[in-house]
Amino acid sequence: MRSILKEMTREEKFRLLTGTGSNTSYEISRLGIRQMRFHDSPFGVRMKAAQTQRKETARKAFSAFPNADKGEEVVSTAFPAGCALGATWDKELLYRVGRALGEEFRAYGINAVMGPAVNLKRHPLCGRNFEYFSEDPVLSGELGAAYVEGVQSAGVAATPKHFIANNQEKGRFTTSSEMDERTMRELYLKPFERIVARAKPWAMMCAYNRINGVYASEHRQLLREILREEWGFDGIVISDWGAVKNRAFSLLASVELCMPYQQEAYGQLENAYREGLIDDGAVDEAVERLLAFLERTKAVYEPHEIDFEGHDELAVQAACEAITLLKNERDVLPLQPGGCGRVLVIGERAVRPFIGGDGSSRVKNPPVVREPLAELKRCLGKGAEVEFLDEGCLKTYENEIGYMENALYEKASKADAVVVFLGQDYSQSSETMDRNHMEIEPYQEHVLRVCRRASQRVIAVLNIGSAVTVSHWEKYADAILVSWMGGQGMGAAVARALTGAINPAGRLAETFPKRQQDVLSLQTYPGDGLKIEYREGLMVGYRHFDTNHVEPAYEFGFGLSYTRFAYRNLTRDGLKLRFELENTGKRDGEEVVQVYVSAPKQSWVTHPEKELKAFERVFLKAGETVQLEILLKEEDFCYYNVALQRWISEEGAYTVRIGSSSRNLPLSCGIERKTDALITTSYAPE
Ligand code: BGC
């Protein structure tokens, strides 16, 4: 590599440090330095057919799926969006999804997936929450690490993004996320830190916004001192598209690749070199990393097959695992095939599901999209009569008591069950804009109210990208099932969950508040146009709700099942926890076991009431009991001490609690730590 470096002219080096087109790097064929490709999305390939070198792969996919829109985009599996993947709490699944994505990107000759997106859901209005996994850094980091390992096992780089603190879309290009260092370390850096420690990503994308006044793309402290020197990150940093203001400043901060092509970037490097701001050492260091990256991803230059069928099965499985059951009064679900004569299905999302949100993550040309209505008919079988009512007509009559309301009432009262699909439009889950409220639309509430009067079996299916408020209308529904934005397999997943072919086990990766104003971090939203003050500090999501005793509608970690689980007999040996879990019901099912730690009451610093430290998704047959073992680590007892610039675990009495959600923790034990201990990283790899 050194020898190539010697042969490169300065101009070639500068060109390599900046992109060429919208998704490519500069090619230097005389030295065998190939063009590299960088594409979205974290949930499937987003690439114009004209952009791929693998014309044959693109052609074969088009002819294999004649129904896939033959527009400009290549065919690619649409996996569930981050909100759905987050709700699975399943690391092994995330590895497999990552692997499948890696295979598809590789087949289309792409060096890096622009994902996973692991920013925290600081508050529910952020338009990109549908892309992100969770409000919790450990859940985000663990799922992100598994995903990265999966992608990279296929020879393609993963690019965790957006480093860091892009937690709202409003003002994302300029505003400064203002926070203290402890908050930054314990919340906003943590998912990235864990991913670097566990999965060693080959790339990382810096954010658009500023952090404490400095652009993420120029943030020397974050990119060089913390990411590289402290954590040992050895990949390349890619700028978010257009995030670089001055290429020389970003180079000094250790951004190796500025994307996309920016006319002024080359001149900025030249000027800075002439003025002595950057020298050969800085340039060569970055070029060398880019060359190492090219070497790491060389597999993408060889032809590769895509197993669309296998990926479709996986997409369905992932969508199934994401299904989150929030309410099931009198066990109205599942609908029994054969036992349910007439089902009335209402709502456009039953035939035109939102499989993902809008913006750079939208997978435009999936090989197949399963329609919930058709899948439900299939699952219910011939015996059932399924009638569909598009809400379009209801929408017109909004709040009128009239013909449509009567017609709806008539139909609902004749049905054995009414399934209402509730969704929001794209503007509620979209890059570049935030939502301005968390409500479902008034006419949808109205539909539910009419159905409630007519039927004792009203089921609401929420096809949403982030938390909504349910307090107004919850009483009109006997069951609430969240399908999230579940990718191409979502329709099948909803139908299977409604009919009991699968047992829901998704869990909320974000708190559903009773009221929007209960969310502490919204008090400083959206900022003054220059700054967004993260004044709530660590009190984000359940950390706030639990510490400040605010009752949520549905808590972090919550999700029902068609069976029940019992936790018993916790014993502890050092940091090893052992306990029994029994499936006490009549159906097989999965439980998501969650472990939370509370810091000593006598502490010199303030802590959230409890914090998630470990979790495991476990399958149990009906009636089965398993012995589970979870090993906590020293790091799980630490906080970041700013004065010492270290993670420290204080002496004192900690409480460990285990259960099925942040507010249902039947097992607990104490752990006494006798001395203070300093730890250099918040997470040591196994
Ligand atoms: C988004 C990134 C995306 C990039 C490339 C940006 O606007 O913030 O997440 O990867 O565009 O499309």
Side-chain angles (χ1 to χ4, degrees):
M1 202 183 301
R2 287 235 155 248
S3 59
I4 300 188
L5 206 65
K6 278 202 193 111
E7 289 189 44
M8 290 175 79
T9 64
R10 192 173 317 119
E11 185 195 336
E12 283 169 337
K13 290 177 187 173
F14 286 180
R15 297 256 174 245
L16 194 61
L17 298 175
T18 55
T20 47
S22 53
N23 298 88
T24 44
S25 71
Y26 187 67
E27 180 174 4
I28 310 170
S29 40
R30 72 172 189 98
L31 296 173
I33 300 175
R34 308 175 87 157
Q35 186 158 60
M36 295 182 268
R37 291 184 157 66
F38 303 89
H39 280 263
D40 293 307
S41 106
F43 320 121
V45 179
R46 186 181 163 95
M47 178 188 222
K48 302 223 180 328
Q51 288 177 301
T52 182
Q53 296 294 92
R54 295 278 116 71
K55 302 288 180 223
E56 185 52 17
T57 310
R59 196 199 53 75
K60 262 169 71 181
F62 278 132
S63 59
F65 301 101
N67 288 337
D69 162 30
K70 290 213 181 51
E72 298 189 312
E73 293 278 322
V74 297
V75 177
S76 170
T77 308
F79 286 97
C83 55
L85 292 174
T88 69
W89 294 60
D90 188 343
K91 292 170 258 187
E92 198 258 337
L93 175 82
L94 269 277
Y95 176 88
R96 290 171 55 216
V97 169
R99 169 84 195 194
L101 283 162
E103 301 279 354
E104 295 199 14
F105 277 73
R106 176 171 166 179
Y108 285 117
I110 304 167
N111 300 65
V113 178
M114 296 300 104
V118 293
N119 294 99
L120 289 196
K121 305 188 199 218
R122 174 174 171 248
H123 61 67
L125 297 186
C126 172
R128 274 185 111 167
N129 276 0
F130 77 92
E131 276 187 65
Y132 303 152
F133 293 137
S134 176
E135 68 188 26
D136 182 83
V138 168
L139 181 56
S140 303
E142 286 286 319
L143 295 181
Y147 174 115
V148 169
E149 283 181 325
V151 170
Q152 296 190 166
S153 73
V156 170
T159 314
K161 65 186 187 185
H162 310 85
F163 190 80
I164 64 167
N166 182 178
N167 306 106
Q168 68 185 48
E169 289 300 279
K170 205 172 174 68
R172 71 169 172 165
F173 294 117
T174 49
T175 41
S176 179
S177 301
E178 302 276 303
M179 69 187 89
D180 63 86
E181 190 177 352
R182 182 169 170 217
T183 302
M184 189 191 290
R185 294 277 188 169
E186 293 188 22
L187 292 186
Y188 299 98
L189 280 170
K190 203 167 201 163
F192 295 97
E193 180 177 19
R194 194 161 281 213
I195 292 173
V196 171
R198 273 274 302 278
K200 306 206 178 319
W202 300 339
M204 183 76 75
M205 184 190 288
C206 71
Y208 283 124
N209 50 284
R210 296 170 186 257
I211 301 101
N212 294 338
V214 178
Y215 277 117
S217 60
E218 298 175 0
H219 216 297
R220 199 187 155 86
Q221 180 205 13
L222 288 175
L223 291 174
R224 200 175 273 281
E225 290 165 22
I226 296 182
L227 176 65
R228 284 210 185 278
E229 291 165 14
E230 201 182 306
W231 299 351
F233 171 72
D234 69 354
I236 56 167
V237 175
I238 305 173
S239 72
D240 199 344
W241 266 232
V244 166
K245 308 294 169 212
N246 183 309
R247 183 63 189 107
F249 293 173
S250 69
L251 182 73
L252 289 173
S254 182
V255 171
E256 280 69 34
L257 185 63
C258 157
M259 287 302 290
Y261 171 72
Q262 279 172 228
Q263 208 187 352
E264 64 283 10
Y266 184 87
Q268 289 169 342
L269 286 175
E270 253 189 346
N271 287 345
Y273 189 82
R274 204 174 318 112
E275 287 162 11
L277 184 66
I278 57 170
D279 57 16
D280 288 322
V283 173
D284 287 357
E285 186 193 11
V287 169
E288 239 180 300
R289 287 202 188 107
L290 278 165
L291 295 177
F293 176 86
L294 178 59
E295 179 62 22
R296 274 175 161 170
T297 56
K298 62 176 184 240
V300 309
Y301 297 97
E302 300 302 322
H304 195 67
E305 291 291 313
I306 300 179
D307 173 12
F308 280 113
E309 214 176 296
H311 292 181
D312 179 49
E313 259 171 50
L314 180 60
V316 172
Q317 189 198 336
C320 287
E321 288 204 21
I323 297 278
T324 311
L325 183 64
L326 294 183
K327 180 175 178 179
N328 194 14
E329 294 288 301
R330 309 181 314 279
D331 291 333
V332 293
L333 286 178
L335 306 173
Q336 301 294 348
C340 205
R342 280 182 173 189
V343 180
L344 176 65
V345 177
I346 303 172
E348 196 191 339
R349 298 293 146 234
V351 288
R352 275 179 291 282
F354 275 142
I355 65 169
D358 211 2
S360 61
S361 74
R362 187 158 165 199
V363 185
K364 289 199 168 159
N365 205 1
V368 16
V369 174
R370 282 157 209 276
E371 182 196 278
L373 181 66
E375 296 286 335
L376 185 60
K377 285 183 182 162
R378 190 169 311 141
C379 285
L380 285 170
K382 287 211 171 62
E385 202 182 296
V386 180
E387 188 180 356
F388 173 63
L389 199 56
D390 196 319
E391 78 212 354
C393 49
L394 303 167
K395 211 169 174 175
T396 327
Y397 288 85
E398 210 129 327
N399 293 318
E400 247 176 59
I401 314 285
Y403 163 75
M404 274 320 296
E405 178 159 338
N406 292 340
L408 175 60
Y409 180 85
E410 285 290 304
K411 285 182 195 294
S413 44
K414 285 195 195 112
D416 296 313
V418 184
V419 182
V420 187
F421 280 79
L422 305 172
Q424 300 161 308
D425 63 31
Y426 271 126
S427 67
Q428 302 283 318
S429 289
S430 176
E431 189 173 332
T432 73
M433 56 181 130
D434 290 338
R435 304 190 277 176
N436 48 24
H437 64 82
M438 297 175 65
E439 312 282 334
I440 62 166
E441 294 196 40
Y443 80 89
Q444 295 183 330
E445 226 173 280
H446 186 64
V447 168
L448 279 172
R449 194 163 48 225
V450 175
C451 293
R452 162 81 309 156
R453 279 202 289 119
S455 167
Q456 287 309 301
R457 217 172 182 194
V458 180
I459 296 135
V461 176
L462 289 173
N463 183 188
I464 50 175
S466 49
V468 292
T469 43
V470 300
S471 322
H472 288 171
W473 55 266
E474 194 184 10
K475 53 185 175 290
Y476 306 138
D478 302 292
I480 304 175
L481 190 142
V482 188
S483 69
W484 305 107
M485 292 182 154
Q488 67 184 47
M490 189 183 82
V494 170
R496 290 181 199 181
L498 289 174
T499 56
I502 59 154
N503 191 348
R507 296 301 163 84
L508 293 184
E510 59 199 277
T511 305
F512 274 41
K514 280 199 168 134
R515 305 171 314 159
Q516 193 172 307
Q517 56 267 44
D518 290 342
V519 179
L520 191 61
S521 41
L522 281 177
Q523 287 182 1
T524 52
Y525 175 82
D528 62 5
L530 297 171
K531 301 183 291 303
I532 312 144
E533 293 188 32
Y534 286 39
R535 225 176 286 153
E536 74 285 352
L538 297 172
M539 300 304 160
V540 169
Y542 69 92
R543 286 169 167 76
H544 155 61
F545 283 83
D546 293 354
T547 311
N548 298 322
H549 309 290
V550 182
E551 193 71 29
Y554 293 106
E555 75 266 19
F556 176 78
F558 180 78
L560 298 171
S561 162
Y562 295 148
T563 185
R564 308 250 183 285
F565 296 93
Y567 288 77
R568 279 193 217 99
N569 300 334
L570 172 63
T571 59
R572 181 176 71 80
D573 176 7
L575 296 183
K576 197 181 281 171
L577 309 166
R578 284 204 193 90
F579 55 98
E580 282 171 20
L581 181 68
E582 183 185 350
N583 179 345
T584 57
K586 293 197 174 58
R587 280 173 183 268
D588 299 351
E590 286 166 289
E591 170 74 325
V592 177
V593 172
Q594 301 162 42
V595 182
Y596 295 81
V597 172
S598 301
K601 293 248 165 353
Q602 315 280 327
S603 170
W604 295 109
V605 294
T606 310
H607 297 276
E609 192 262 335
K610 67 169 96 65
E611 294 183 288
L612 179 74
K613 297 298 176 182
F615 60 93
E616 220 51 73
R617 183 163 169 142
V618 195
F619 172 81
L620 272 83
K621 289 198 151 310
E624 190 187 1
T625 301
V626 289
Q627 293 280 342
L628 293 175
E629 203 175 275
I630 288 185
L631 184 64
L632 290 176
K633 293 169 178 283
E634 290 291 327
E635 295 86 318
D636 296 327
F637 298 87
C638 287
Y639 77 93
Y640 190 78
N641 187 302
V642 177
L644 299 172
Q645 296 273 291
R646 286 282 185 282
W647 291 91
I648 119 160
S649 87
E650 295 174 285
E651 64 168 295
Y654 291 77
T655 311
V656 176
R657 283 184 280 168
I658 304 176
S660 63
S661 83
S662 58
R663 286 182 176 227
N664 181 22
L665 298 164
L667 299 181
S668 74
C669 68
I671 294 190
E672 187 73 31
R673 300 188 65 82
K674 298 256 180 303
T675 50
D676 287 355
L678 290 183
I679 288 167
T680 48
T681 160
S682 82
Y683 186 76
E686 268 122 48

